[in-house]
Amino acid sequence: MKTNMKIKLLLSGICFALCLSCTDVLDKKDLGAISEKDVWNDPLYAKAYLDRLCRDNLPRWNSQAGDASDEAGGGGATMYGQMGLDQTVGDWHYTEIRKINIFLEEIGSGSIDKATQQTLSAQALVLRALRYFQMVRLYGGVPMILKAQDLTEDLYVTRTKTSECIRLIVKDLDDAIAMPEFPWKWSGADAGRISKAAALALKGRILLYWASPQFNPNNDPKRWEDAYAVNRQAAEELEKNGYGLFENFETLWFNEMNEEVILVTRYQDPSLTHNWEAGNRPYEPGMNNSNRNQPTWEMVTAFPMNTGVAIDASNSGYDPVHFWKNRDPRFAATVAYNSCSWALSGLPDKKLWTFAGAVTAQPSNTGFHCRKAVNPEYTAYYAERSSTDWIEIRYAEVLLSYAECAAETGNASEAYECLKKIRARAGILPGNNSFYGLQENLSKENLVKAVMLERKIELAYEDKRHWDLRRRKLFESEMNGKRRHRLLETLLIPRDEFESIKETIDLNTDYATYFRQEMDELDRQYDINFKPEYYFYAIRKEHLEKNSKLEQTQGWEGGTFNPLD
């Protein structure tokens, strides 16, 4: 049996989870009288506690997903090389991990049948792996605590080697995957629960990180081979079990639990909502959030043409004035620009205006808005109370991870096939050679670059770009010493005249008659300067002060812990 403190933590979680439930379990007994024995003898109680663990630990919508990258402005001290020990990242998930450990230790202590124990334990193992990985990608090795500690134990733990952390994280996922009762996909009322598919896809993501330059500066080929094998297995096994690319890139967020969804956080108004739509839409009365994740000009120009070729390629057909014309269809599904049609609040003829002076309340800082995963049917009220699910891992990411590992291990044909599938779904034209605009016979280095560009486009504003720049150590080559830009557009005729004709003029053919376009810097004071030590952040002082055995990360003041071991 565990200590009273452990039981109190557990039962408080159970009570909260059951209060969220809409089942008739509330009719059973006074919830305040739930005992530890009740929990481990009743699958409904155990499941309710697991639901609470999922709610506390699964990733959620990040309204600042584009910051600290080239997707949007912002990023503060991280981007300008001004981070100190008092500003470092503070993710430290041991309270949540303790509750997961309690669950894993106690789930087998009662009379719940073995099959249910397996499905519940497997999900908890994935949660623990996810939480530890979130810390390891920030700091390198962290203390790996795999049991709920008692107060009588030595609580001054040391940091575990990064390599051992990865081994233990992968072991949790392997243990979950090996459980025969753990399903590849849930259905009905259980749709969206953590599955074997999620465990395998997460394993592939973790091994991809472990093989990437952040963790693998000497480019150990064995790590790439391991990552290749797992990501190939994930792509193939998931396809066998009903996963794949959803047919419509633009609407995949609004067709919940479609075949592309692998690891998801489910939302339901009013119990759990978010304001992603409000934050990314232009300001409207009634919304308290706006102007987040506004695309930079660098992001706008990253999208290729609808033929798949880059805009700066010879004979691409790119029109620098009417820059939106004939672009990769993902462009219009991701970026909203001045004069585009955007049927917000269900208004089919609504157009967006971002030129200087178009709106007085919270105008766009870049000339653009993020359109991805913004449900146009939502009114301003529901935009602040959205119930659109957050997709943490989707099948497209699995294909891109597979493609990257294939490129790194010399399996170029497999990398190309993955990229072609993604571009075909996007609606890019296949071309005479059916390569969807991809250059044939690319070198290994250039093929990897092609994969990274595809990730940038396909996964834009999904909280992936910053992490890709870190793990591939691309800040130096792609951002440092540079500044991000915005597009300033000025109306060339009197405003009242424009208002009288704007619904009748064709801006797709004569935009320059009405607007002047200029580039301007978003980073007004400093160049981007992401420092080498930011690839492994410092441990915050508050944690070091509580635990004298914690070492600081090398590269930071007083640092002795090597995150590459």
Side-chain angles (χ1 to χ4, degrees):
M1 288 292 108
K2 300 300 173 186
T3 65
N4 288 337
M5 180 60 70
K6 292 179 183 177
I7 295 171
K8 287 178 181 178
L9 282 170
L10 170 68
L11 297 183
S12 64
I14 294 291
C15 291
F16 187 92
L18 289 174
C19 287
L20 296 174
S21 175
C22 60
T23 68
D24 60 1
V25 67
L26 297 176
D27 298 330
K28 281 194 169 187
K29 60 174 68 177
D30 176 10
L31 291 180
I34 296 175
S35 69
E36 184 181 18
K37 184 178 179 181
D38 290 330
V39 174
W40 309 123
N41 289 327
D42 190 324
L44 190 57
Y45 286 148
K47 185 178 177 182
Y49 184 50
L50 178 65
D51 289 347
R52 175 62 184 184
L53 292 179
C54 289
R55 182 169 178 146
D56 287 346
N57 291 284
L58 286 175
R60 299 188 179 191
W61 290 91
N62 181 359
S63 61
Q64 297 176 312
D67 292 0
S69 75
D70 49 4
E71 289 181 329
T78 305
M79 296 300 283
Y80 303 129
Q82 300 167 346
M83 181 180 289
L85 288 176
D86 57 342
Q87 296 171 305
T88 190
V89 177
D91 292 23
W92 205 245
H93 301 300
Y94 287 99
T95 298
E96 294 87 354
I97 288 170
R98 175 180 174 80
K99 295 175 183 178
I100 297 171
N101 285 338
I102 291 172
F103 184 89
L104 288 167
E105 290 173 32
E106 299 292 352
I107 186 63
S109 65
S111 60
I112 297 174
D113 65 276
K114 293 298 183 183
T116 301
Q117 286 183 31
Q118 280 194 9
T119 59
L120 298 179
S121 295
Q123 294 174 73
L125 285 169
V126 175
L127 289 175
R128 186 167 70 180
L130 177 64
R131 273 308 193 191
Y132 271 120
F133 170 63
Q134 288 171 336
M135 291 193 290
V136 169
R137 71 177 178 176
L138 288 170
Y139 310 111
V142 295
M144 292 294 292
I145 302 172
L146 303 180
K147 63 183 291 293
Q149 295 168 299
D150 285 312
L151 294 177
T152 56
E153 297 181 50
D154 182 4
L155 304 181
Y156 295 100
V157 294
T158 60
R159 292 177 72 171
T160 306
K161 283 186 176 182
T162 307
S163 57
E164 180 66 5
C165 289
I166 295 295
R167 187 189 71 79
L168 291 170
I169 290 169
V170 169
K171 182 180 184 302
D172 270 355
L173 295 172
D174 284 340
D175 288 347
I177 293 166
M179 293 186 184
E181 298 297 333
F182 194 27
W184 283 100
K185 181 181 286 191
W186 296 87
S187 60
D190 289 320
R193 289 191 174 279
I194 298 171
S195 65
K196 187 173 295 192
L200 186 54
L202 180 59
K203 180 182 176 182
R205 177 193 282 183
I206 291 167
L207 290 181
L208 174 66
Y209 270 71
W210 184 234
S212 297
Q214 177 192 6
F215 291 93
N216 188 21
N218 296 323
N219 201 28
D220 178 0
K222 177 64 165 54
R223 294 193 195 180
W224 281 114
E225 290 290 348
D226 291 345
Y228 164 74
V230 171
N231 280 288
R232 176 177 178 173
Q233 178 191 12
E236 294 174 348
E237 290 295 329
L238 268 60
E239 184 177 8
K240 290 177 185 177
N241 285 279
Y243 293 91
L245 295 173
F246 182 66
E247 61 182 359
N248 190 315
F249 173 84
E250 182 174 8
T251 64
L252 71 87
W253 294 92
F254 315 129
N255 288 268
E256 296 185 340
M257 300 314 303
N258 63 69
E259 64 266 32
E260 190 156 348
V261 178
I262 297 171
L263 181 60
V264 62
T265 300
R266 306 218 64 186
Y267 285 79
Q268 182 62 55
D269 186 20
S271 61
L272 186 62
T273 62
H274 58 85
N275 60 13
W276 170 267
E277 275 92 349
N280 288 282
R281 282 167 53 147
Y283 176 80
E284 291 185 21
M287 297 197 308
N288 297 316
N289 302 275
S290 64
N291 288 351
R292 297 175 180 172
N293 295 309
Q294 293 179 352
T296 61
W297 183 246
E298 284 75 15
M299 194 67 207
V300 168
T301 54
F303 288 84
M305 304 299 291
N306 61 6
T307 57
V309 302
I311 63 171
D312 58 358
S314 61
N315 301 318
S316 70
Y318 175 66
D319 181 344
V321 175
H322 305 90
F323 56 83
W324 58 86
K325 295 177 67 174
N326 302 319
R327 301 292 292 277
D328 177 341
R330 291 172 294 187
F331 173 82
T334 306
V335 178
Y337 53 89
N338 188 52
S339 81
C340 76
S341 296
W342 197 4
L344 293 173
S345 300
L347 301 176
D349 298 323
K350 190 169 185 175
K351 285 193 173 184
L352 174 69
W353 301 106
T354 62
F355 61 85
V359 295
T360 56
Q362 302 185 33
S364 170
N365 294 320
T366 68
F368 304 99
H369 289 279
C370 175
R371 193 167 182 162
K372 176 175 274 189
V374 175
N375 192 331
E377 296 299 319
Y378 279 160
T379 62
Y381 176 88
Y382 284 108
E384 283 201 298
R385 299 160 181 83
S386 175
S387 58
T388 302
D389 292 344
W390 167 250
I391 309 171
E392 173 61 20
I393 303 179
R394 55 188 179 93
Y395 191 72
E397 182 190 343
V398 174
L399 284 180
L400 286 164
S401 297
Y402 174 21
E404 185 176 345
C405 295
E408 287 282 4
T409 54
N411 296 287
S413 62
E414 295 172 54
Y416 274 114
E417 287 306 308
C418 292
L419 294 178
K420 287 193 284 186
K421 287 178 182 178
I422 290 170
R423 288 192 159 205
R425 188 275 295 274
I428 289 176
L429 301 175
N432 294 332
N433 60 357
S434 296
F435 263 68
Y436 297 87
L438 296 164
Q439 294 184 42
E440 298 183 62
N441 302 314
L442 286 171
S443 66
K444 172 182 171 179
E445 180 182 3
N446 287 329
L447 185 54
V448 171
K449 287 181 178 179
V451 175
M452 297 311 297
L453 175 61
E454 204 68 28
R455 287 183 68 94
K456 180 178 181 179
I457 296 165
E458 175 72 22
L459 304 176
Y461 306 100
E462 296 182 34
D463 203 14
K464 304 295 188 291
R465 179 61 177 168
H466 169 78
W467 303 106
D468 280 348
L469 289 168
R470 280 185 87 239
R471 71 174 177 82
R472 294 287 325 189
K473 301 184 77 171
L474 292 174
F475 273 102
E476 287 93 333
S477 62
E478 298 201 12
M479 298 200 68
N480 278 1
K482 303 175 183 177
R483 299 192 180 196
R484 294 163 291 189
H485 294 83
R486 58 179 177 168
L487 180 66
L488 294 180
E489 306 203 60
T490 305
L491 186 62
L492 296 177
I493 64 174
R495 178 68 181 271
D496 56 352
E497 180 184 345
F498 179 72
E499 291 294 331
S500 68
I501 64 173
K502 68 180 184 180
E503 300 301 330
T504 59
I505 57 178
D506 185 3
L507 294 176
N508 281 308
T509 59
D510 198 16
Y511 193 82
T513 299
Y514 302 97
F515 295 102
R516 181 175 67 250
Q517 300 169 324
E518 301 172 275
M519 290 299 107
D520 189 29
E521 293 177 346
L522 274 174
D523 302 294
R524 307 294 291 181
Q525 292 183 289
Y526 308 105
D527 292 348
I528 304 301
N529 183 27
F530 188 94
K531 292 187 174 180
E533 59 264 34
Y534 296 176
Y535 289 116
F536 293 103
Y537 290 119
I539 302 294
R540 278 195 173 178
K541 285 183 178 180
E542 61 188 279
H543 305 307
L544 298 174
E545 289 169 352
K546 291 176 183 178
N547 180 359
S548 60
K549 290 185 179 179
L550 277 182
E551 293 179 72
Q552 185 56 279
T553 309
Q554 287 182 359
W556 297 84
E557 182 182 348
T560 57
F561 182 86
N562 184 357
L564 295 176
D565 280 351

